[in-house]
Amino acid sequence: MKRKKKEKLKLLDDQVVSMDLRNAIQKGQFKLYYQPKIDSSSRQLVGAEALIRWEHPVEGLILPGKFIPLAEETGFITEIGKWVLQEACQQIKDWQNKYHQAIHLSINLSAIEFYQSNIVDIIKDTIQKIGIEAHLLQIELTESMVLIDIEQVIVKMQALQKLGIKIGLDDFGTGYSSLSHLQALPINVLKLDRSFITNIEKEEITRNIVQTIITLAKLLNLEVIAEGVEKIEQVERLQKMGCTLIQGYYYGEPLSKIDFERVYLDR
Ligand code: C2E
Ligand code: MG
Ligand code: MG
Ligand code: MG
């Protein structure tokens, strides 16, 4: 009985959210937050990851885990994705104008977005219309989505790289990851998943795996960045292993545009 009621409520909830979702773009309720990527050896800001948030008038700040899956189910993710792309490119441009500084931004794409037949054109048209240098934009894709149709993905990745856009492999090491993908995929950046970082102090086996990934990535000329780094001990371990690019709460949480400017750009 109770469960049924809960399920019904949940369904209602999803319906309300999906209706709200449709209006969220035009109401200006989506915001990009920016999490710094820091080079731990120089302590310099090297760029940021753009992460979407929904400023809901009733619910407050909603994290992507709460609405991206629903947006994917309803297909609305493609509209959201276009907004994210547009907003991130415009932000690159604005920061360049305001601070005379080229800040690299990465954005995340869902499988549904990347498998759109015209995704390369959408990205190309956006960077050209806004007028940013392509190398300042990085696209983060997860390994699991890449595996759905690896041949199609390779073709699209190559087309994007030809434009100058950087490709990052997100959450690397989770799911069905295989080191052979590193060689097969035309990528520029490897993002070590947070689950490795969490265990890096505790487990020797994790350290060995992480060291192997870092070494291989370097041999393949890939940039390696660790995500979810929360402690100085983790930064030091990673530095010793040759990974100096760090993203995580230790250096900074995702911040609104205003806060990001205040902390990293205004001086
Ligand atoms: P992701 O791309 O792997 O992003 C990293 C997530 O880890 C972010 O969560 C970030 O806030 C969080 N994080 C960063 N540093 C730390 C840390 O030190 N400790 C811990 N515990 N967490 C940390 P967020 O912002 O909730 O995003 C979750 C996921 O939602 C992202 O994972 C990405 O897959 C997806 N996402 C975010 N923005 C977008 C978007 O614009 N479009 C699409 N399609 N997906 C998005
Ligand atoms: Mg990401
Ligand atoms: Mg990630
Ligand atoms: Mg993740």
Side-chain angles (χ1 to χ4, degrees), residues 203-221:
E203 300 174 358
E204 195 187 350
I205 177 78
T206 303
R207 282 196 291 280
N208 291 339
I209 292 170
V210 169
Q211 181 66 76
T212 304
I213 295 173
I214 292 170
T215 306
L216 181 61
K218 297 218 153 171
L219 281 171
L220 295 168
N221 263 327

Side-chain angles (χ1 to χ4, degrees), residues 139-152:
I139 306 283
E140 295 192 7
L141 307 172
T142 62
E143 236 186 339
S144 55
M145 61 173 277
V146 158
L147 292 182
I148 299 170
D149 180 352
I150 200 159
E151 267 126 56
Q152 182 186 152

Side-chain angles (χ1 to χ4, degrees), residues 44-171:
Q44 291 285 313
L45 178 80
V46 294
E49 177 172 7
L51 296 155
I52 195 169
R53 267 91 184 102
W54 181 7
E55 293 183 347
H56 194 280
V58 180
E59 307 291 331
L61 199 70
I62 306 180
L63 293 173
K66 279 262 169 73
F67 63 91
I68 292 286
L70 195 67
E72 287 170 341
E73 265 171 51
T74 55
F76 194 57
I77 188 69
T78 55
E79 288 312 304
I80 295 179
K82 279 183 199 149
W83 179 85
V84 170
L85 173 68
Q86 170 85 26
E87 185 75 9
C89 291
Q90 190 61 53
Q91 190 60 79
I92 290 171
K93 179 92 176 173
D94 291 351
W95 278 337
Q96 212 155 15
N97 288 338
K98 188 170 173 189
Y99 298 99
H100 306 287
Q101 218 175 315
I103 309 283
H104 296 74
L105 283 186
S106 61
I107 59 171
N108 295 280
L109 253 57
S110 299
I112 296 171
E113 300 178 71
F114 197 69
Y115 284 100
Q116 295 175 93
S117 59
N118 58 345
I119 186 65
V120 174
D121 286 335
I122 291 174
I123 296 172
K124 180 178 162 200
D125 293 347
T126 306
I127 60 171
Q128 285 178 352
K129 202 177 76 209
I130 296 178
I132 56 161
E133 294 158 62
H135 71 96
L136 296 177
L137 182 68
Q138 192 181 115
I139 306 283
E140 295 192 7
L141 307 172
T142 62
E143 236 186 339
S144 55
M145 61 173 277
V146 158
L147 292 182
I148 299 170
D149 180 352
I150 200 159
E151 267 126 56
Q152 182 186 152
V153 167
I154 289 174
V155 171
K156 287 178 168 174
M157 282 179 167
Q158 281 167 341
L160 290 171
Q161 281 188 335
K162 220 169 151 194
L163 297 169
I165 291 162
K166 297 267 163 60
I167 313 280
L169 202 54
D170 206 351
D171 302 344

